[in-house]
Amino acid sequence: MSDGEAEVVAADAAMESDDGVTNTEIMEETTNDEPTQDTVDNAEQAEQIEEAEAGEQNISAVVDSEPAQEETAASGETHEIATGDDDPMPQDEYSPLADQREDNDNPSVQFAADVSDNNAEKDYASGFVNVTFFINPEGYSMIKSIDLHETFAQVKLGLEQELQIPAENLSLDHLDGPVKHDGVLSDTDTFADFGLHPSDNVSVQIHIQYYQRTASATQYQMPDIIDVEIHYGSNEVKLIRVAVDKQGQEKPYLGGYRHKNTGLLFHHASTQTFKKPVNKPVRYHRDSQTYEYRTRSIQSKREAGTQMAKQGVFVDGRTDKILEPQPYFSSEEWEQMRLEKILHIQRMVRGWFARRRAHNLRYRRDDRRSRIMHEEDKRRDEATMKHKQEIERRMHPRSFQDFEILYNELEAWRVNETDRIKSSTLTTEEKKIALEQLLHKETKLLQTIDRLKIAASKHNKEDRMKSTLSEMSAPKKWTMKDGRFTEVHTPFTTRAKELYDLFTGLKMPLLSIDERLDVLLHVKWTVKEFDCNLTREIVDLIDREADMLNRGRSERSLEGLRKRLSNLFLQFIETPEFNPEAAKFQKVPRELLRPANIRPIQDYSKTAVPESSVMSN
């Protein structure tokens, strides 16, 4: 076979593999150095033509098996053709040999030449991209080499031949690789439109839209008359014509049997015979589940007679009653009585309606009066309470606003008194004496305000201290699913509660000596768990107070000692090392304000415990 014949046969084999598809698949030998049309010169083109002619001679040996290639192209499979150098070449790869073909009558070869000429005019290189198709919803994939300038509509036509699925039921989307595109790929777009280059590896998802196929076979119609052949034992066949009585309603299936040898199915006779309909009367009521039976005897006619007294017959007349006729009651009288009764009923109903309306009016009137009185009492109580609060704010001020009110009122009083003195008819000396007295009163009032400020500061400090200790010892509140709260005691809150109770016991006045010693003993056991200068000082003060109580010292002489002990124990409670719950109430980091007296004492041999620290009960 000559070179020209081998070229034509190869083009015909490519055309027969896919009728109507513009993507031609030409099998040829590829070289390691693939030339580019924009950069090669005339000498390189001559070498390519020589290599192509040598490759075509190798192809001629393969093209002789044309029927086998046609079956392979119809099934959509890709095979590798062994060349002279034993290099496998994919069937779908595009070759520059199409640019050198002179057979323009073959449409496949002419298309390859047109593609090559058009790409030579463009400013970018042409070639193939390796596309991995993921087919959904089946979940398998396939790899194909697609021309960069081949539209996605042409790709669908190629996939239609391989998948045996109409192209209109295929949808290409989700381009992934060097360029990403999440939407549906338009049929008029190409891979080159997305900026892809030859030999790029991309992936595309194929969604198959299935449709319901309608059965083209017509439904079987039973004829009106059928011929039945009856075979007798002597090979005699008798033909009987049977008329078919078609039944409009569906027949119930009552079973049958199957022949073991022939496999024929036989139904019971009742399924082949017309069932006579049962005419039941139309019923518009429901039957009761239970019936109650009662026996009653009746006598429609009774014999009656009259017996008179006569000779030989005695009739007892003691129970007899004499009936006298009443005055006749005519229909006009009945109508008159009926009208009177109707009027009486109407009067009673109207009276009932009037009484009910009057009751509702009285109830609304009384309710409105009571509501007005309640609101007046509430306003009066609020005014009284507000007046008492204003007096309390001036007698016992607690906040900054309370003292601001006192200073403003003092200033207003001083200004009024000064104006009164200056506008009076007193002499200059008398005015000077009056101003001196005013200054003296103002000074006394300022001193009184300062004393109130000191008392308020002390009171506020105690309130803040109690509030802080209460919050430390309060249980945690957890919110449940139903919106309620559950109180939970943690080890830290339990420890804070114990310390708060001991502090309250230390601050409690009017205790007996035994009760006071018991509180001091519990405090001593608590602080001796830690060894530092603060705990040692607290233990020393407890021992000193216990010794003075045993000697019978008065409560007044122990006020300073107890105040110092309370302050030290409060410092103990506010230390996170001794009370972990106190760490949440520290406004400044403990490392910056850590006193030296709470640091643990490491060398116990250098510091001896005084003998007075041992207290007896």
Side-chain angles (χ1 to χ4, degrees), residues 312-574:
V313 177
F314 173 75
V315 177
D316 189 6
R318 290 177 297 178
T319 58
D320 293 345
K321 296 181 180 179
I322 299 174
L323 298 179
E324 295 180 357
Q326 298 293 329
Y328 182 72
F329 191 75
S330 63
S331 59
E332 292 81 1
E333 295 175 349
W334 182 82
E335 289 291 341
Q336 182 67 23
M337 183 188 68
R338 182 170 177 269
L339 180 59
E340 293 176 358
K341 299 298 183 184
I342 290 173
L343 295 177
H344 179 73
I345 293 174
Q346 289 179 352
R347 288 196 301 268
M348 295 296 106
V349 172
R350 291 193 185 104
W352 173 55
F353 286 161
R355 287 190 297 272
R356 187 174 65 175
R357 183 171 179 272
H359 175 73
N360 293 333
L361 292 175
R362 283 192 295 268
Y363 176 77
R364 293 192 325 199
R365 181 198 60 188
D366 297 340
D367 182 64
R368 183 171 59 85
R369 289 179 179 177
S370 62
R371 186 171 61 254
I372 293 174
M373 294 178 62
H374 179 71
E375 292 177 356
E376 291 179 355
D377 295 341
K378 184 177 179 181
R379 286 195 298 268
R380 191 183 304 107
D381 294 340
E382 290 177 355
T384 304
M385 184 62 65
K386 186 177 180 180
H387 181 68
K388 290 182 178 179
Q389 290 178 357
E390 293 296 331
I391 295 176
E392 184 68 20
R393 292 179 66 180
R394 287 163 177 78
M395 297 296 296
H396 303 285
R398 291 288 182 267
S399 62
F400 175 79
Q401 291 78 9
D402 298 343
F403 287 99
E404 188 70 20
I405 292 174
L406 292 179
Y407 284 120
N408 292 336
E409 291 181 353
L410 177 61
E411 181 65 19
W413 173 80
R414 184 189 65 80
V415 171
N416 292 333
E417 290 295 325
T418 303
D419 294 339
R420 184 183 62 81
I421 293 173
K422 290 182 178 181
S423 61
S424 62
T425 57
L426 299 177
T427 61
T428 305
E429 294 295 333
E430 292 177 350
K431 290 182 179 181
K432 185 181 295 186
I433 295 173
L435 291 175
E436 290 178 357
Q437 294 177 355
L438 178 61
L439 179 61
H440 181 70
K441 290 182 181 180
E442 183 181 3
T443 304
K444 291 290 185 181
L445 292 175
L446 288 175
Q447 292 176 355
T448 304
I449 292 176
D450 290 338
R451 286 194 299 270
L452 293 175
K453 187 179 293 186
I454 294 172
S457 176
K458 181 179 179 181
H459 187 271
N460 293 337
K461 183 178 180 180
E462 292 180 356
D463 290 343
R464 288 194 301 269
M465 177 184 61
K466 291 181 181 180
S467 177
T468 303
L469 296 179
S470 299
E471 292 180 4
M472 287 184 186
S473 59
K476 306 296 182 182
K477 291 185 178 181
W478 291 354
T479 305
M480 308 300 291
K481 292 182 178 180
D482 54 357
R484 296 182 300 174
F485 293 94
T486 301
E487 295 183 353
V488 180
H489 290 274
T490 63
F492 293 165
T493 58
T494 304
R495 170 72 175 179
K497 179 65 175 175
E498 294 176 356
L499 296 177
Y500 180 48
D501 294 340
L502 291 176
F503 181 76
T504 305
L506 287 177
K507 299 286 291 183
M508 189 177 298
L510 305 177
L511 292 178
S512 62
I513 296 178
D514 294 337
E515 292 175 350
R516 182 66 182 180
L517 290 176
D518 186 62
V519 172
L520 294 176
L521 184 60
H522 281 80
V523 173
K524 182 178 181 180
W525 288 346
T526 302
V527 299
K528 286 190 70 176
E529 296 177 2
F530 307 93
D531 191 8
C532 61
N533 291 331
L534 176 63
T535 56
R536 289 189 178 186
E537 188 174 1
I538 293 175
V539 171
D540 187 24
L541 293 177
I542 290 173
D543 293 340
R544 189 182 305 175
E545 182 179 354
D547 183 57
M548 296 179 71
L549 288 175
N550 291 329
R551 294 181 181 182
R553 299 293 297 270
S554 62
E555 298 286 338
R556 188 179 182 85
S557 61
L558 299 176
E559 289 181 357
L561 178 61
R562 290 179 177 179
K563 185 175 182 180
R564 183 182 175 189
L565 178 61
S566 299
N567 293 334
L568 291 177
F569 191 69
L570 178 62
Q571 184 181 356
F572 178 85
I573 295 175
E574 293 177 350

Side-chain angles (χ1 to χ4, degrees), residues 86-97:
D86 296 336
D87 293 335
M89 183 191 310
Q91 185 180 0
D92 296 334
E93 188 173 359
Y94 176 74
S95 174
L97 285 175

